[in-house]
Amino acid sequence: MQETPARPWTRPHDWAEVVFGVVALLSPIWVDTSTAAMWTMIVLGALVAVDGVASLAAPGMVYGEGIQIVLGALLFVSPWVMSYTDLMGAAWTSWIAGALTVIAGALAYPVANAAHIRMAGQH
């Protein structure tokens, strides 16, 4: 298995998280939304993207991947919680971006943990 680099700004999982966050953040531009759906997608999308950038900058930050998983789960359930399942574009964007964020965070977790252990051993 090929090892994912632990250098800042190089991990593909974190870049994917940034992309998923930006898509959710900007999707109210091209999908029909309600006020609740729009702000939910903007806020959660921004948080996913910002956490992805933080994980890119600090590859050994294990808790950032845990936060990413939680944010992805919140994005996934938001159409039901915020009652916008009838807005199909917004709902599907939330479901897909949320699920992919959870998957990317889960895949990045062991990589971040290994980077953290390597960095802790250098002290």
Side-chain angles (χ1 to χ4, degrees), residues 20-33 37-38 41-42 45 75 84 89-94 97:
F20 302 147
V22 169
V23 167
L25 168 71
L26 296 178
S27 64
I29 295 171
W30 59 81
V31 298
D32 289 332
T33 62
M38 178 184 72
M41 295 173 78
I42 288 171
L75 187 58
Y84 63 92
W92 277 102
T93 300
S94 294

Side-chain angles (χ1 to χ4, degrees), residues 17-92:
E17 293 166 353
V18 172
V19 169
F20 302 147
V22 169
V23 167
L25 168 71
L26 296 178
S27 64
I29 295 171
W30 59 81
V31 298
D32 289 332
T33 62
S34 63
T35 302
M38 178 184 72
W39 284 110
T40 300
M41 295 173 78
I42 288 171
V43 170
L44 288 176
L47 290 172
V48 167
V50 166
D51 188 57
V53 169
S55 293
L56 278 166
M61 186 175 66
V62 179
Y63 64 86
E65 304 308 335
I67 291 170
Q68 200 66 268
I69 292 168
V70 170
L71 290 172
L74 288 173
L75 187 58
F76 184 82
V77 300
S78 65
W80 293 291
V81 174
M82 300 304 289
S83 301
Y84 63 92
T85 54
D86 57 326
L87 299 167
M88 294 309 284
W92 277 102

